Structures are given as structure tokens and as C-alpha cells.
Amino acid sequence: MLIVPANEAACEDIAAVFGTRGAAAECQCQRYRLARGEAFGNTPVEERAQRLREQTACGDASASTTSGLVAYLDDEPCGWCAVAPRPAYGGLVRNANQTAWRGRSEDRDDASVWAVTCLLTRVGMRGRGVARALAAASVGFARERGARRLEAYPITVAQATWGEEHPGPLQVYLDAGFTVVHRPSKRRAVVSIDL
């Protein structure tokens, strides 16, 4: 499996991973990127897809920043991992009532803490270890870019509701060396790894 920073992937490859139907196609990894007052209902999917292209700088290998990783199996794009400094996810950090913050008190705007907010495996390519490989690769990606800690907010139940599974399952993070640092609910954990 080959995993590359998203700016080294073609925009068409990222679009192929997200597909044209379902929660991923609807979200375009913008759940935590929408500005205050924005929602999926008032921000067209085409605009969300354009924002993802801009955030990733896809197709521009010389870009100085990007917001994720893309996985390939046999030259086919098969997975996506959103990983960036935590403050880049405004919708995550601005709301102290978010599940990720319940029972935690820390500087949510600390840019030295990075976050994985989405692990996505393309339809038809699941069950091949893509999410595990992406979670493991996110550690080195964040470390190389100066992160002091990397965290994620995985789901802890077998049956997730529509759109709830975006951060991926707990076990893929544990396999990548993360540890559970908080359990804000029965359905969610906060995991982290010091870099």
C-alpha cells in the first residue's frame, strides 16, 4: 500500500475515494471545517468539494501545506485520512460542548496538537487494512510537520449511525500506538499519541 500526502495525489483520486453517494460524498470532509452559521443545508456540496481541493492542495506536489493523506492499492486510490493542526478544525474546537471536549480542560487552540478527524476507505476496498495503514501513517505525517501530540475521536460501538463513523473505529488507533486518554461517552473515545 502506498500512502502519500494529499497534495501529491491528483484531485480526481481524492474525489474517487469520496465517491458520489453517501455520507462521505455529502460531507467532503467539511464537518469540522464549516464556519459558524454554515451547515450542510446552506453550503452546497460543490462548494464543500472545492474547499477540500483547496485544503489538500491536491495535484500540487510543491505545496507547502496539505490537510491529509491518500492511500493507494495497486495504483487505485482507496483511502483518505484527514490530519491537520487541531485549530484548523474550527467546528471541532469552538464548541466546548462537543463530545470531544466533555470532561477535558485544555487549550483547544493549541496548534502543536494535531487531530485526525476522518478515516475513509473507498467503497469496494474495505477489509484490506486501509484505515489501519492510514492511522499509522498519520503519526509520522504529523511528527514530520512539527506536531507535539496527535489525537483522534474514534467511535467505540460496532453499529454507528449515518455519518457517525467518520473518525474510524477505536482499534485502528490502538494498533497504531495511540492510547485512550478520555471516554466522553459510551460511543466515543479520545485517543492520543505523544510525538
Side-chain angles (χ1 to χ4, degrees):
M1 185 172 317
L2 173 67
I3 298 177
V4 301
N7 63 303
E8 295 177 18
C11 294
E12 296 79 17
D13 290 353
I14 295 174
V17 172
F18 279 82
T20 58
R21 298 177 304 159
E26 169 111 0
C27 181
Q28 295 292 310
C29 213
Q30 299 304 299
R31 177 182 182 133
Y32 297 122
R33 297 272 194 160
L34 294 175
R36 198 178 296 277
E38 287 185 320
F40 286 172
N42 65 16
T43 309
V45 70
E46 296 81 14
E47 183 174 335
R48 294 192 301 273
Q50 177 59 35
R51 289 179 185 183
L52 178 62
R53 287 189 293 274
E54 291 167 3
Q55 291 154 4
T56 61
C58 54
D60 183 2
S62 65
S64 60
T65 62
T66 189
S67 65
L69 299 166
V70 179
Y72 292 85
L73 271 174
D74 301 324
D75 295 325
E76 284 292 317
C78 63
W80 160 256
C81 175
V83 56
R86 192 171 62 189
Y89 301 108
L92 174 67
V93 299
R94 76 173 158 254
N95 185 350
N97 292 323
Q98 282 272 3
T99 302
W101 303 114
R102 285 188 210 138
R104 294 173 72 197
S105 60
E106 64 177 86
D107 179 6
R108 296 190 307 266
D109 291 317
D110 182 349
S112 72
V113 178
W114 282 41
V116 173
T117 59
C118 180
L119 283 177
L120 172 63
T121 302
R122 185 177 180 181
V123 172
M125 297 192 171
R126 296 184 178 136
R128 299 183 191 182
V130 175
R132 276 185 170 73
L134 284 165
S138 73
V139 174
F141 179 80
R143 181 184 294 122
E144 290 165 8
R145 286 155 179 78
R148 140 183 98 75
R149 188 174 83 224
L150 180 61
E151 66 182 32
Y153 320 96
I155 195 76
T156 60
V157 294
Q159 294 298 317
T161 61
W162 189 89
E164 183 183 41
E165 71 282 352
H166 64 88
L170 176 60
Q171 193 60 51
V172 301
Y173 294 101
L174 298 178
D175 291 349
F178 289 74
T179 58
V180 175
V181 294
H182 188 58
R183 290 300 293 257
S185 74
K186 291 180 181 181
R187 303 182 68 77
R188 183 93 47 208
V190 177
V191 296
S192 75
I193 186 168
D194 290 331
L195 306 174

